[in-house]
Amino acid sequence: MSNEIERLLVAGASGGTGRELLRRLRDTDITVRAMTRSREKERTLSEDGADEVIVGDLLDPADASRAVADCNGVLCAVGSSPGLHALMGDLVDGAGVENLVHAAVAADVEHFVFESSIGVGDSREGIPAPFRFLLWRVLNAKNHAESVLRTSGVPYTIIRPGGLTNAPATGDVLVGEGGETVSGSIPRADVARLMLASLFTPEAENRTFEVVSRDGHRGTSRGLVELDWNVPGEKGIEIEE
């Protein structure tokens, strides 16, 4: 892993986690390229801190290649909301992320951080059954994207957050590793903080973590891990062991 990230792509920049990433990156020396599907959001993303904005659709491989060109890091926070559109066709969580991973391989990206979800893969039991039923296509798509990323050869970190909230960052998170570890909720701002930290934390490379805030934790936790998280401009992130 390189600690010299010069140009960084934030995919899904107009979403909740994406905008938190832009705000956190605003005061760094990193050139930040934001990607969104909405041309109407270009100005907002620039105001949030993006140096460059690309409008495109990751379901188009050409757009994915254009987005990641000349970037040496990727923070991928794309996502689909439940609804009729999630019941048919390709989802950005799956096919879109797959296109971005392939483009990242071609662009020699040094680190790819993917926001997945508790409930994906071996963390299936981390969300209640009714939510698994509602989100099954999204969860399956994210599971496919995780598999593509793990086998791509690109150094990666996968962050699986619990239920996302718009509360302020707590700076106090539980990090599990192993699938059925933690469940509950977490502010998007805390997820963004961990995603950015993953780029600068050698121990996070090629690992998958389930994360919730301590206040949002539900049930029994297991498989907690402690890493020396490094965030630009900060000494670290408080975690529970």
Side-chain angles (χ1 to χ4, degrees), residues 114-151:
F114 176 44
E115 179 189 24
S116 184
S117 175
I118 288 178
V120 172
D122 57 5
S123 69
R124 179 178 182 275
E125 300 300 322
I127 62 173
F131 289 100
R132 289 202 303 272
F133 176 77
L134 179 66
L135 298 171
W136 70 272
R137 284 203 78 229
V138 173
L139 296 174
N140 284 348
K142 289 184 183 293
N143 187 50
H144 173 72
E146 285 190 7
S147 297
V148 169
L149 181 55
R150 288 193 188 96
T151 58

PDB file of all heavy atoms in Angstrom, residues 114-151:
ATOM      1  N   PHE A 114     -14.250  -0.355  -0.613  1.00  0.00           N
ATOM      2  CA  PHE A 114     -15.630  -0.584  -1.027  1.00  0.00           C
ATOM      3  C   PHE A 114     -16.548  -0.582   0.185  1.00  0.00           C
ATOM      4  O   PHE A 114     -16.344  -1.342   1.129  1.00  0.00           O
ATOM      5  CB  PHE A 114     -15.726  -1.916  -1.770  1.00  0.00           C
ATOM      6  CG  PHE A 114     -17.120  -2.326  -2.162  1.00  0.00           C
ATOM      7  CD1 PHE A 114     -18.020  -1.417  -2.707  1.00  0.00           C
ATOM      8  CD2 PHE A 114     -17.533  -3.642  -2.007  1.00  0.00           C
ATOM      9  CE1 PHE A 114     -19.304  -1.811  -3.079  1.00  0.00           C
ATOM     10  CE2 PHE A 114     -18.807  -4.041  -2.369  1.00  0.00           C
ATOM     11  CZ  PHE A 114     -19.702  -3.122  -2.906  1.00  0.00           C
ATOM     12  N   GLU A 115     -17.575   0.271   0.136  1.00  0.00           N
ATOM     13  CA  GLU A 115     -18.617   0.269   1.163  1.00  0.00           C
ATOM     14  C   GLU A 115     -19.657  -0.785   0.782  1.00  0.00           C
ATOM     15  O   GLU A 115     -20.437  -0.598  -0.139  1.00  0.00           O
ATOM     16  CB  GLU A 115     -19.281   1.639   1.269  1.00  0.00           C
ATOM     17  CG  GLU A 115     -20.390   1.669   2.325  1.00  0.00           C
ATOM     18  CD  GLU A 115     -21.204   2.959   2.282  1.00  0.00           C
ATOM     19  OE1 GLU A 115     -21.251   3.614   1.225  1.00  0.00           O
ATOM     20  OE2 GLU A 115     -21.798   3.288   3.323  1.00  0.00           O
ATOM     21  N   SER A 116     -19.658  -1.883   1.505  1.00  0.00           N
ATOM     22  CA  SER A 116     -20.621  -2.956   1.281  1.00  0.00           C
ATOM     23  C   SER A 116     -21.723  -2.842   2.344  1.00  0.00           C
ATOM     24  O   SER A 116     -22.241  -1.749   2.568  1.00  0.00           O
ATOM     25  CB  SER A 116     -19.914  -4.312   1.323  1.00  0.00           C
ATOM     26  OG  SER A 116     -20.794  -5.368   1.025  1.00  0.00           O
ATOM     27  N   SER A 117     -22.067  -3.920   3.028  1.00  0.00           N
ATOM     28  CA  SER A 117     -23.118  -3.852   4.044  1.00  0.00           C
ATOM     29  C   SER A 117     -23.085  -5.091   4.913  1.00  0.00           C
ATOM     30  O   SER A 117     -22.827  -6.205   4.425  1.00  0.00           O
ATOM     31  CB  SER A 117     -24.493  -3.744   3.374  1.00  0.00           C
ATOM     32  OG  SER A 117     -25.531  -3.788   4.332  1.00  0.00           O
ATOM     33  N   ILE A 118     -23.342  -4.918   6.204  1.00  0.00           N
ATOM     34  CA  ILE A 118     -23.667  -6.071   7.030  1.00  0.00           C
ATOM     35  C   ILE A 118     -24.917  -6.710   6.447  1.00  0.00           C
ATOM     36  O   ILE A 118     -25.851  -6.030   6.029  1.00  0.00           O
ATOM     37  CB  ILE A 118     -23.882  -5.645   8.495  1.00  0.00           C
ATOM     38  CG1 ILE A 118     -22.545  -5.264   9.143  1.00  0.00           C
ATOM     39  CG2 ILE A 118     -24.562  -6.758   9.299  1.00  0.00           C
ATOM     40  CD1 ILE A 118     -22.657  -4.782  10.568  1.00  0.00           C
ATOM     41  N   GLY A 119     -24.915  -8.028   6.387  1.00  0.00           N
ATOM     42  CA  GLY A 119     -25.979  -8.766   5.719  1.00  0.00           C
ATOM     43  C   GLY A 119     -25.496  -9.411   4.440  1.00  0.00           C
ATOM     44  O   GLY A 119     -26.159 -10.277   3.866  1.00  0.00           O
ATOM     45  N   VAL A 120     -24.294  -9.010   3.983  1.00  0.00           N
ATOM     46  CA  VAL A 120     -23.696  -9.559   2.771  1.00  0.00           C
ATOM     47  C   VAL A 120     -22.825 -10.763   3.122  1.00  0.00           C
ATOM     48  O   VAL A 120     -22.096 -10.751   4.119  1.00  0.00           O
ATOM     49  CB  VAL A 120     -22.848  -8.491   2.050  1.00  0.00           C
ATOM     50  CG1 VAL A 120     -22.064  -9.103   0.894  1.00  0.00           C
ATOM     51  CG2 VAL A 120     -23.742  -7.366   1.544  1.00  0.00           C
ATOM     52  N   GLY A 121     -22.904 -11.806   2.313  1.00  0.00           N
ATOM     53  CA  GLY A 121     -22.014 -12.952   2.464  1.00  0.00           C
ATOM     54  C   GLY A 121     -22.095 -13.595   3.832  1.00  0.00           C
ATOM     55  O   GLY A 121     -23.189 -13.899   4.330  1.00  0.00           O
ATOM     56  N   ASP A 122     -20.939 -13.780   4.471  1.00  0.00           N
ATOM     57  CA  ASP A 122     -20.922 -14.466   5.765  1.00  0.00           C
ATOM     58  C   ASP A 122     -21.398 -13.597   6.920  1.00  0.00           C
ATOM     59  O   ASP A 122     -21.422 -14.041   8.066  1.00  0.00           O
ATOM     60  CB  ASP A 122     -19.528 -15.040   6.062  1.00  0.00           C
ATOM     61  CG  ASP A 122     -18.424 -13.984   6.050  1.00  0.00           C
ATOM     62  OD1 ASP A 122     -18.735 -12.785   5.904  1.00  0.00           O
ATOM     63  OD2 ASP A 122     -17.250 -14.362   6.191  1.00  0.00           O
ATOM     64  N   SER A 123     -21.816 -12.349   6.622  1.00  0.00           N
ATOM     65  CA  SER A 123     -22.422 -11.511   7.667  1.00  0.00           C
ATOM     66  C   SER A 123     -23.947 -11.508   7.543  1.00  0.00           C
ATOM     67  O   SER A 123     -24.628 -10.637   8.087  1.00  0.00           O
ATOM     68  CB  SER A 123     -21.896 -10.072   7.572  1.00  0.00           C
ATOM     69  OG  SER A 123     -22.354  -9.409   6.406  1.00  0.00           O
ATOM     70  N   ARG A 124     -24.479 -12.480   6.830  1.00  0.00           N
ATOM     71  CA  ARG A 124     -25.910 -12.553   6.509  1.00  0.00           C
ATOM     72  C   ARG A 124     -26.798 -12.378   7.734  1.00  0.00           C
ATOM     73  O   ARG A 124     -27.813 -11.671   7.692  1.00  0.00           O
ATOM     74  CB  ARG A 124     -26.202 -13.896   5.842  1.00  0.00           C
ATOM     75  CG  ARG A 124     -27.663 -14.130   5.468  1.00  0.00           C
ATOM     76  CD  ARG A 124     -27.821 -15.465   4.765  1.00  0.00           C
ATOM     77  NE  ARG A 124     -29.199 -15.695   4.348  1.00  0.00           N
ATOM     78  CZ  ARG A 124     -30.137 -16.195   5.123  1.00  0.00           C
ATOM     79  NH1 ARG A 124     -29.860 -16.539   6.372  1.00  0.00           N
ATOM     80  NH2 ARG A 124     -31.379 -16.369   4.670  1.00  0.00           N
ATOM     81  N   GLU A 125     -26.441 -13.014   8.841  1.00  0.00           N
ATOM     82  CA  GLU A 125     -27.301 -12.992  10.024  1.00  0.00           C
ATOM     83  C   GLU A 125     -27.206 -11.679  10.793  1.00  0.00           C
ATOM     84  O   GLU A 125     -27.888 -11.506  11.801  1.00  0.00           O
ATOM     85  CB  GLU A 125     -26.939 -14.154  10.957  1.00  0.00           C
ATOM     86  CG  GLU A 125     -27.104 -15.530  10.322  1.00  0.00           C
ATOM     87  CD  GLU A 125     -28.533 -15.796   9.878  1.00  0.00           C
ATOM     88  OE1 GLU A 125     -29.466 -15.383  10.603  1.00  0.00           O
ATOM     89  OE2 GLU A 125     -28.714 -16.409   8.810  1.00  0.00           O
ATOM     90  N   GLY A 126     -26.412 -10.740  10.308  1.00  0.00           N
ATOM     91  CA  GLY A 126     -26.250  -9.479  11.011  1.00  0.00           C
ATOM     92  C   GLY A 126     -27.399  -8.508  10.849  1.00  0.00           C
ATOM     93  O   GLY A 126     -27.431  -7.473  11.513  1.00  0.00           O
ATOM     94  N   ILE A 127     -28.334  -8.815   9.938  1.00  0.00           N
ATOM     95  CA  ILE A 127     -29.532  -7.977   9.812  1.00  0.00           C
ATOM     96  C   ILE A 127     -30.764  -8.859   9.939  1.00  0.00           C
ATOM     97  O   ILE A 127     -30.733 -10.047   9.588  1.00  0.00           O
ATOM     98  CB  ILE A 127     -29.576  -7.183   8.489  1.00  0.00           C
ATOM     99  CG1 ILE A 127     -29.611  -8.109   7.269  1.00  0.00           C
ATOM    100  CG2 ILE A 127     -28.398  -6.243   8.385  1.00  0.00           C
ATOM    101  CD1 ILE A 127     -29.833  -7.364   5.968  1.00  0.00           C
ATOM    102  N   PRO A 128     -31.864  -8.318  10.432  1.00  0.00           N
ATOM    103  CA  PRO A 128     -33.081  -9.112  10.628  1.00  0.00           C
ATOM    104  C   PRO A 128     -33.614  -9.673   9.311  1.00  0.00           C
ATOM    105  O   PRO A 128     -33.449  -9.078   8.239  1.00  0.00           O
ATOM    106  CB  PRO A 128     -34.070  -8.112  11.235  1.00  0.00           C
ATOM    107  CG  PRO A 128     -33.208  -7.046  11.847  1.00  0.00           C
ATOM    108  CD  PRO A 128     -32.011  -6.943  10.956  1.00  0.00           C
ATOM    109  N   ALA A 129     -34.272 -10.819   9.389  1.00  0.00           N
ATOM    110  CA  ALA A 129     -34.790 -11.506   8.205  1.00  0.00           C
ATOM    111  C   ALA A 129     -35.683 -10.632   7.331  1.00  0.00           C
ATOM    112  O   ALA A 129     -35.568 -10.690   6.094  1.00  0.00           O
ATOM    113  CB  ALA A 129     -35.522 -12.785   8.622  1.00  0.00           C
ATOM    114  N   PRO A 130     -36.585  -9.799   7.890  1.00  0.00           N
ATOM    115  CA  PRO A 130     -37.421  -8.975   7.012  1.00  0.00           C
ATOM    116  C   PRO A 130     -36.606  -8.036   6.127  1.00  0.00           C
ATOM    117  O   PRO A 130     -36.962  -7.799   4.968  1.00  0.00           O
ATOM    118  CB  PRO A 130     -38.298  -8.190   7.999  1.00  0.00           C
ATOM    119  CG  PRO A 130     -38.350  -9.043   9.219  1.00  0.00           C
ATOM    120  CD  PRO A 130     -36.994  -9.672   9.300  1.00  0.00           C
ATOM    121  N   PHE A 131     -35.494  -7.494   6.655  1.00  0.00           N
ATOM    122  CA  PHE A 131     -34.649  -6.608   5.862  1.00  0.00           C
ATOM    123  C   PHE A 131     -33.874  -7.391   4.805  1.00  0.00           C
ATOM    124  O   PHE A 131     -33.655  -6.898   3.699  1.00  0.00           O
ATOM    125  CB  PHE A 131     -33.704  -5.826   6.759  1.00  0.00           C
ATOM    126  CG  PHE A 131     -34.388  -4.784   7.583  1.00  0.00           C
ATOM    127  CD1 PHE A 131     -34.699  -5.014   8.910  1.00  0.00           C
ATOM    128  CD2 PHE A 131     -34.749  -3.565   7.026  1.00  0.00           C
ATOM    129  CE1 PHE A 131     -35.347  -4.061   9.671  1.00  0.00           C
ATOM    130  CE2 PHE A 131     -35.394  -2.599   7.777  1.00  0.00           C
ATOM    131  CZ  PHE A 131     -35.698  -2.848   9.098  1.00  0.00           C
ATOM    132  N   ARG A 132     -33.469  -8.623   5.149  1.00  0.00           N
ATOM    133  CA  ARG A 132     -32.807  -9.466   4.145  1.00  0.00           C
ATOM    134  C   ARG A 132     -33.748  -9.732   2.981  1.00  0.00           C
ATOM    135  O   ARG A 132     -33.335  -9.730   1.817  1.00  0.00           O
ATOM    136  CB  ARG A 132     -32.347 -10.793   4.754  1.00  0.00           C
ATOM    137  CG  ARG A 132     -31.182 -10.677   5.712  1.00  0.00           C
ATOM    138  CD  ARG A 132     -30.450 -12.002   5.855  1.00  0.00           C
ATOM    139  NE  ARG A 132     -31.323 -13.088   6.286  1.00  0.00           N
ATOM    140  CZ  ARG A 132     -31.571 -13.390   7.550  1.00  0.00           C
ATOM    141  NH1 ARG A 132     -31.012 -12.689   8.525  1.00  0.00           N
ATOM    142  NH2 ARG A 132     -32.346 -14.406   7.860  1.00  0.00           N
ATOM    143  N   PHE A 133     -35.026  -9.974   3.273  1.00  0.00           N
ATOM    144  CA  PHE A 133     -36.006 -10.223   2.226  1.00  0.00           C
ATOM    145  C   PHE A 133     -36.191  -8.979   1.359  1.00  0.00           C
ATOM    146  O   PHE A 133     -36.233  -9.056   0.139  1.00  0.00           O
ATOM    147  CB  PHE A 133     -37.346 -10.638   2.845  1.00  0.00           C
ATOM    148  CG  PHE A 133     -38.441 -10.831   1.838  1.00  0.00           C
ATOM    149  CD1 PHE A 133     -38.489 -11.973   1.057  1.00  0.00           C
ATOM    150  CD2 PHE A 133     -39.416  -9.860   1.661  1.00  0.00           C
ATOM    151  CE1 PHE A 133     -39.495 -12.150   0.106  1.00  0.00           C
ATOM    152  CE2 PHE A 133     -40.422 -10.021   0.723  1.00  0.00           C
ATOM    153  CZ  PHE A 133     -40.456 -11.170  -0.055  1.00  0.00           C
ATOM    154  N   LEU A 134     -36.297  -7.821   1.995  1.00  0.00           N
ATOM    155  CA  LEU A 134     -36.506  -6.574   1.272  1.00  0.00           C
ATOM    156  C   LEU A 134     -35.316  -6.223   0.385  1.00  0.00           C
ATOM    157  O   LEU A 134     -35.487  -5.706  -0.725  1.00  0.00           O
ATOM    158  CB  LEU A 134     -36.770  -5.439   2.270  1.00  0.00           C
ATOM    159  CG  LEU A 134     -36.993  -4.036   1.703  1.00  0.00           C
ATOM    160  CD1 LEU A 134     -38.279  -3.995   0.888  1.00  0.00           C
ATOM    161  CD2 LEU A 134     -37.035  -3.000   2.830  1.00  0.00           C
ATOM    162  N   LEU A 135     -34.118  -6.507   0.877  1.00  0.00           N
ATOM    163  CA  LEU A 135     -32.890  -6.055   0.205  1.00  0.00           C
ATOM    164  C   LEU A 135     -32.137  -7.182  -0.494  1.00  0.00           C
ATOM    165  O   LEU A 135     -30.971  -7.006  -0.858  1.00  0.00           O
ATOM    166  CB  LEU A 135     -31.958  -5.407   1.239  1.00  0.00           C
ATOM    167  CG  LEU A 135     -32.489  -4.161   1.944  1.00  0.00           C
ATOM    168  CD1 LEU A 135     -31.559  -3.769   3.084  1.00  0.00           C
ATOM    169  CD2 LEU A 135     -32.633  -3.009   0.966  1.00  0.00           C
ATOM    170  N   TRP A 136     -32.787  -8.318  -0.721  1.00  0.00           N
ATOM    171  CA  TRP A 136     -32.024  -9.492  -1.162  1.00  0.00           C
ATOM    172  C   TRP A 136     -31.251  -9.265  -2.450  1.00  0.00           C
ATOM    173  O   TRP A 136     -30.096  -9.693  -2.580  1.00  0.00           O
ATOM    174  CB  TRP A 136     -32.946 -10.705  -1.289  1.00  0.00           C
ATOM    175  CG  TRP A 136     -33.926 -10.650  -2.433  1.00  0.00           C
ATOM    176  CD1 TRP A 136     -35.161 -10.104  -2.426  1.00  0.00           C
ATOM    177  CD2 TRP A 136     -33.729 -11.162  -3.761  1.00  0.00           C
ATOM    178  NE1 TRP A 136     -35.769 -10.239  -3.654  1.00  0.00           N
ATOM    179  CE2 TRP A 136     -34.917 -10.885  -4.489  1.00  0.00           C
ATOM    180  CE3 TRP A 136     -32.688 -11.824  -4.401  1.00  0.00           C
ATOM    181  CZ2 TRP A 136     -35.076 -11.240  -5.822  1.00  0.00           C
ATOM    182  CZ3 TRP A 136     -32.834 -12.181  -5.729  1.00  0.00           C
ATOM    183  CH2 TRP A 136     -34.026 -11.892  -6.429  1.00  0.00           C
ATOM    184  N   ARG A 137     -31.822  -8.535  -3.425  1.00  0.00           N
ATOM    185  CA  ARG A 137     -31.092  -8.317  -4.673  1.00  0.00           C
ATOM    186  C   ARG A 137     -29.900  -7.393  -4.461  1.00  0.00           C
ATOM    187  O   ARG A 137     -28.828  -7.606  -5.037  1.00  0.00           O
ATOM    188  CB  ARG A 137     -32.013  -7.716  -5.743  1.00  0.00           C
ATOM    189  CG  ARG A 137     -32.972  -8.704  -6.374  1.00  0.00           C
ATOM    190  CD  ARG A 137     -33.437  -8.224  -7.751  1.00  0.00           C
ATOM    191  NE  ARG A 137     -32.440  -8.436  -8.777  1.00  0.00           N
ATOM    192  CZ  ARG A 137     -32.044  -7.520  -9.658  1.00  0.00           C
ATOM    193  NH1 ARG A 137     -32.547  -6.294  -9.611  1.00  0.00           N
ATOM    194  NH2 ARG A 137     -31.132  -7.796 -10.571  1.00  0.00           N
ATOM    195  N   VAL A 138     -30.075  -6.382  -3.638  1.00  0.00           N
ATOM    196  CA  VAL A 138     -28.973  -5.466  -3.355  1.00  0.00           C
ATOM    197  C   VAL A 138     -27.857  -6.203  -2.620  1.00  0.00           C
ATOM    198  O   VAL A 138     -26.668  -6.054  -2.949  1.00  0.00           O
ATOM    199  CB  VAL A 138     -29.463  -4.260  -2.539  1.00  0.00           C
ATOM    200  CG1 VAL A 138     -28.288  -3.395  -2.092  1.00  0.00           C
ATOM    201  CG2 VAL A 138     -30.456  -3.430  -3.354  1.00  0.00           C
ATOM    202  N   LEU A 139     -28.220  -7.015  -1.627  1.00  0.00           N
ATOM    203  CA  LEU A 139     -27.218  -7.761  -0.870  1.00  0.00           C
ATOM    204  C   LEU A 139     -26.487  -8.759  -1.768  1.00  0.00           C
ATOM    205  O   LEU A 139     -25.264  -8.928  -1.660  1.00  0.00           O
ATOM    206  CB  LEU A 139     -27.873  -8.477   0.309  1.00  0.00           C
ATOM    207  CG  LEU A 139     -28.498  -7.566   1.374  1.00  0.00           C
ATOM    208  CD1 LEU A 139     -29.236  -8.400   2.423  1.00  0.00           C
ATOM    209  CD2 LEU A 139     -27.452  -6.678   2.042  1.00  0.00           C
ATOM    210  N   ASN A 140     -27.221  -9.420  -2.651  1.00  0.00           N
ATOM    211  CA  ASN A 140     -26.581 -10.359  -3.582  1.00  0.00           C
ATOM    212  C   ASN A 140     -25.635  -9.631  -4.528  1.00  0.00           C
ATOM    213  O   ASN A 140     -24.551 -10.132  -4.862  1.00  0.00           O
ATOM    214  CB  ASN A 140     -27.640 -11.111  -4.388  1.00  0.00           C
ATOM    215  CG  ASN A 140     -28.330 -12.196  -3.588  1.00  0.00           C
ATOM    216  OD1 ASN A 140     -27.884 -12.545  -2.495  1.00  0.00           O
ATOM    217  ND2 ASN A 140     -29.428 -12.720  -4.114  1.00  0.00           N
ATOM    218  N   ALA A 141     -26.048  -8.436  -4.974  1.00  0.00           N
ATOM    219  CA  ALA A 141     -25.187  -7.665  -5.866  1.00  0.00           C
ATOM    220  C   ALA A 141     -23.899  -7.263  -5.164  1.00  0.00           C
ATOM    221  O   ALA A 141     -22.801  -7.364  -5.726  1.00  0.00           O
ATOM    222  CB  ALA A 141     -25.936  -6.429  -6.377  1.00  0.00           C
ATOM    223  N   LYS A 142     -24.024  -6.800  -3.930  1.00  0.00           N
ATOM    224  CA  LYS A 142     -22.830  -6.420  -3.169  1.00  0.00           C
ATOM    225  C   LYS A 142     -21.936  -7.633  -2.912  1.00  0.00           C
ATOM    226  O   LYS A 142     -20.701  -7.524  -2.925  1.00  0.00           O
ATOM    227  CB  LYS A 142     -23.237  -5.760  -1.854  1.00  0.00           C
ATOM    228  CG  LYS A 142     -23.834  -4.362  -2.008  1.00  0.00           C
ATOM    229  CD  LYS A 142     -24.122  -3.742  -0.656  1.00  0.00           C
ATOM    230  CE  LYS A 142     -24.777  -2.381  -0.783  1.00  0.00           C
ATOM    231  NZ  LYS A 142     -23.877  -1.363  -1.379  1.00  0.00           N
ATOM    232  N   ASN A 143     -22.537  -8.780  -2.678  1.00  0.00           N
ATOM    233  CA  ASN A 143     -21.751  -9.994  -2.458  1.00  0.00           C
ATOM    234  C   ASN A 143     -20.944 -10.329  -3.715  1.00  0.00           C
ATOM    235  O   ASN A 143     -19.756 -10.690  -3.633  1.00  0.00           O
ATOM    236  CB  ASN A 143     -22.672 -11.153  -2.094  1.00  0.00           C
ATOM    237  CG  ASN A 143     -21.906 -12.396  -1.684  1.00  0.00           C
ATOM    238  OD1 ASN A 143     -21.007 -12.338  -0.838  1.00  0.00           O
ATOM    239  ND2 ASN A 143     -22.237 -13.527  -2.285  1.00  0.00           N
ATOM    240  N   HIS A 144     -21.573 -10.195  -4.877  1.00  0.00           N
ATOM    241  CA  HIS A 144     -20.854 -10.424  -6.143  1.00  0.00           C
ATOM    242  C   HIS A 144     -19.710  -9.425  -6.290  1.00  0.00           C
ATOM    243  O   HIS A 144     -18.584  -9.802  -6.657  1.00  0.00           O
ATOM    244  CB  HIS A 144     -21.832 -10.284  -7.308  1.00  0.00           C
ATOM    245  CG  HIS A 144     -21.170 -10.335  -8.647  1.00  0.00           C
ATOM    246  ND1 HIS A 144     -20.651 -11.498  -9.184  1.00  0.00           N
ATOM    247  CD2 HIS A 144     -20.919  -9.346  -9.564  1.00  0.00           C
ATOM    248  CE1 HIS A 144     -20.112 -11.229 -10.366  1.00  0.00           C
ATOM    249  NE2 HIS A 144     -20.262  -9.936 -10.617  1.00  0.00           N
ATOM    250  N   ALA A 145     -19.979  -8.154  -5.981  1.00  0.00           N
ATOM    251  CA  ALA A 145     -18.938  -7.130  -6.097  1.00  0.00           C
ATOM    252  C   ALA A 145     -17.777  -7.416  -5.159  1.00  0.00           C
ATOM    253  O   ALA A 145     -16.605  -7.249  -5.541  1.00  0.00           O
ATOM    254  CB  ALA A 145     -19.529  -5.758  -5.804  1.00  0.00           C
ATOM    255  N   GLU A 146     -18.077  -7.838  -3.934  1.00  0.00           N
ATOM    256  CA  GLU A 146     -17.010  -8.197  -2.992  1.00  0.00           C
ATOM    257  C   GLU A 146     -16.121  -9.291  -3.588  1.00  0.00           C
ATOM    258  O   GLU A 146     -14.887  -9.220  -3.515  1.00  0.00           O
ATOM    259  CB  GLU A 146     -17.603  -8.682  -1.672  1.00  0.00           C
ATOM    260  CG  GLU A 146     -18.184  -7.604  -0.775  1.00  0.00           C
ATOM    261  CD  GLU A 146     -18.520  -8.143   0.603  1.00  0.00           C
ATOM    262  OE1 GLU A 146     -18.179  -9.315   0.885  1.00  0.00           O
ATOM    263  OE2 GLU A 146     -19.113  -7.399   1.404  1.00  0.00           O
ATOM    264  N   SER A 147     -16.745 -10.322  -4.159  1.00  0.00           N
ATOM    265  CA  SER A 147     -15.983 -11.445  -4.716  1.00  0.00           C
ATOM    266  C   SER A 147     -15.092 -11.000  -5.872  1.00  0.00           C
ATOM    267  O   SER A 147     -13.930 -11.408  -5.974  1.00  0.00           O
ATOM    268  CB  SER A 147     -16.940 -12.543  -5.196  1.00  0.00           C
ATOM    269  OG  SER A 147     -17.681 -13.066  -4.122  1.00  0.00           O
ATOM    270  N   VAL A 148     -15.640 -10.144  -6.736  1.00  0.00           N
ATOM    271  CA  VAL A 148     -14.852  -9.633  -7.867  1.00  0.00           C
ATOM    272  C   VAL A 148     -13.657  -8.838  -7.356  1.00  0.00           C
ATOM    273  O   VAL A 148     -12.531  -8.984  -7.855  1.00  0.00           O
ATOM    274  CB  VAL A 148     -15.732  -8.765  -8.781  1.00  0.00           C
ATOM    275  CG1 VAL A 148     -14.882  -8.021  -9.804  1.00  0.00           C
ATOM    276  CG2 VAL A 148     -16.782  -9.612  -9.479  1.00  0.00           C
ATOM    277  N   LEU A 149     -13.873  -8.013  -6.351  1.00  0.00           N
ATOM    278  CA  LEU A 149     -12.791  -7.191  -5.818  1.00  0.00           C
ATOM    279  C   LEU A 149     -11.715  -8.051  -5.170  1.00  0.00           C
ATOM    280  O   LEU A 149     -10.513  -7.815  -5.392  1.00  0.00           O
ATOM    281  CB  LEU A 149     -13.365  -6.195  -4.810  1.00  0.00           C
ATOM    282  CG  LEU A 149     -12.379  -5.230  -4.152  1.00  0.00           C
ATOM    283  CD1 LEU A 149     -11.587  -4.450  -5.191  1.00  0.00           C
ATOM    284  CD2 LEU A 149     -13.117  -4.286  -3.207  1.00  0.00           C
ATOM    285  N   ARG A 150     -12.124  -9.046  -4.402  1.00  0.00           N
ATOM    286  CA  ARG A 150     -11.138  -9.889  -3.707  1.00  0.00           C
ATOM    287  C   ARG A 150     -10.232 -10.642  -4.676  1.00  0.00           C
ATOM    288  O   ARG A 150      -9.071 -10.916  -4.356  1.00  0.00           O
ATOM    289  CB  ARG A 150     -11.846 -10.891  -2.793  1.00  0.00           C
ATOM    290  CG  ARG A 150     -12.467 -10.295  -1.564  1.00  0.00           C
ATOM    291  CD  ARG A 150     -12.876 -11.375  -0.558  1.00  0.00           C
ATOM    292  NE  ARG A 150     -13.646 -10.783   0.518  1.00  0.00           N
ATOM    293  CZ  ARG A 150     -14.978 -10.750   0.562  1.00  0.00           C
ATOM    294  NH1 ARG A 150     -15.675 -11.324  -0.408  1.00  0.00           N
ATOM    295  NH2 ARG A 150     -15.605 -10.179   1.558  1.00  0.00           N
ATOM    296  N   THR A 151     -10.757 -11.008  -5.823  1.00  0.00           N
ATOM    297  CA  THR A 151      -9.976 -11.810  -6.777  1.00  0.00           C
ATOM    298  C   THR A 151      -9.335 -10.979  -7.880  1.00  0.00           C
ATOM    299  O   THR A 151      -8.705 -11.529  -8.781  1.00  0.00           O
ATOM    300  CB  THR A 151     -10.870 -12.888  -7.415  1.00  0.00           C
ATOM    301  OG1 THR A 151     -11.986 -12.272  -8.074  1.00  0.00           O
ATOM    302  CG2 THR A 151     -11.393 -13.856  -6.365  1.00  0.00           C
TER     303      THR A 151
END
